[in-house]
Amino acid sequence: MPSLNIDRRRFLGAMGVLGAASLAGGAGSALTPDLAVAADAEFPVPKKGKPIEASVDPKTGDVKINDDVIVRYSSCVGCYSTCGNRIKLDRASGRVIGVGGNPYNPACSGDKLDFEAPLEDAYRSMSYANGHGAITHGTVCGRGNGTLDGVSQPDRITVPLKRAGKRGEGKWKPISWDQLIKEVTEGGKIFADLGEDQYVEGFKELHDTTTPLNPDQPDLGPKSNQIVVMNTRADGRRQLNARFATTYGTLNSFSHNSS
């Protein structure tokens, strides 16, 4: 019996012949025996692209995991829906190479996996294995998929930036976290290297909860109210910022979407 394994070129050719035969009303028996369906075709190994985290035998459901890839199940913070996500990382470099839906999360799948289900079932649910896959397990929206771009885009800011020119020039330079903390808390002439003589008050100097900010306008409160805390989304940072503002002694703490 002829081998059923064919390369991609012959497979595409076979599909073209099959389509033409269908349009012409021809019988499938007109095809030669060495033309196979996709499930039986052996395609060449791709030389580009990202590594897969596992492969699943479509007949037995056996899972073979690629140890070069780490998979972590987490939660997306792209919006307030808190859907699950599934992160793939390259083990050697720690680089994020893929983001997808979490099959254990009800927001990602109409037929989610039980939390106690083994991880092998997650691989099977996203495959064509033995009738267990291809039923919309583990999907995530475009915004969730965009997490990968947010992490990997080259202009992402990952260190503190300090003004390196006149205001409005758009010139910045990276500084260490230690320098940032020192200048923010201690203050001083922090732009003296640019020839500026302006003195900037630091957090320590502004931490004054008794001296009025403006004696003529007592309703403005103490000097510490000059510190304004702008919160972000409620994923833990809001509570941290609120506690800092209360402890520091400023009333000017605003949440996301505050008016």
Side-chain angles (χ1 to χ4, degrees):
M1 179 178 177
S3 173
L4 293 179
N5 293 330
I6 61 175
D7 59 22
R8 186 182 297 272
R9 185 184 299 275
R10 295 178 66 194
F11 170 71
L12 293 176
M15 293 301 99
V17 172
L18 180 61
S22 299
L23 291 174
S29 59
L31 302 178
T32 56
D34 63 343
L35 301 180
V37 295
D40 296 320
E42 182 178 337
F43 295 114
V45 177
K47 297 181 180 180
K48 296 182 179 180
K50 299 172 183 177
I52 60 173
E53 68 271 20
S55 59
V56 181
D57 189 298
K59 295 181 180 179
T60 65
D62 292 338
V63 178
K64 183 178 180 181
I65 296 176
N66 180 9
D67 292 331
D68 294 332
V69 178
I70 301 173
V71 178
R72 293 291 182 264
Y73 295 85
S74 185
S75 180
C76 181
V77 293
C79 72
Y80 287 96
S81 294
T82 318
C83 300
N85 63 4
R86 187 171 178 274
I87 312 299
K88 295 193 297 183
L89 305 101
D90 177 69
R91 184 180 294 275
S93 64
R95 181 173 57 91
V96 179
I97 58 177
V99 177
N102 186 333
Y104 293 93
N105 192 294
C108 299
S109 173
D111 187 19
K112 72 175 183 66
L113 294 178
D114 186 86
F115 286 138
E116 301 299 326
L119 294 177
E120 286 82 0
D121 284 358
Y123 291 119
R124 296 186 185 100
S125 72
M126 291 177 283
S127 72
Y128 289 93
N130 208 16
H132 292 290
I135 50 177
T136 65
H137 274 302
T139 58
V140 69
C141 75
R143 194 168 185 174
N145 279 311
T147 304
L148 180 60
D149 293 331
V151 170
S152 61
Q153 64 97 10
D155 296 327
R156 181 188 179 201
I157 299 175
T158 58
V159 296
L161 298 178
K162 182 181 178 181
R163 180 164 59 87
K166 295 180 180 179
R167 289 183 177 275
E169 283 188 334
K171 295 181 179 180
W172 306 89
K173 64 179 180 181
I175 62 174
S176 68
W177 289 100
D178 287 340
Q179 180 180 347
L180 170 68
I181 294 172
K182 181 179 179 180
E183 293 187 356
V184 168
T185 56
E186 301 291 342
K189 297 182 179 181
I190 60 177
F191 294 104
D193 59 319
L194 300 178
E196 298 183 12
D197 194 48
Q198 180 185 6
Y199 180 86
V200 179
E201 294 177 295
F203 275 28
K204 288 184 177 180
E205 190 172 352
L206 291 174
H207 186 210
D208 183 345
T209 59
T210 58
T211 304
L213 176 60
N214 185 341
D216 296 330
Q217 290 183 274
D219 56 312
L220 294 178
K223 289 186 63 176
S224 57
N225 275 342
Q226 292 181 84
I227 296 296
V228 178
V229 180
M230 297 293 293
N231 288 315
T232 55
R233 57 175 291 129
D235 55 3
R237 288 174 287 181
R238 178 181 298 176
Q239 291 82 352
L240 176 63
N241 291 343
R243 289 180 63 185
F244 170 79
T246 301
T247 304
Y248 186 85
T250 177
L251 296 176
N252 295 313
S253 178
F254 302 98
S255 297
H256 187 61
N257 291 335
S258 293
S259 58

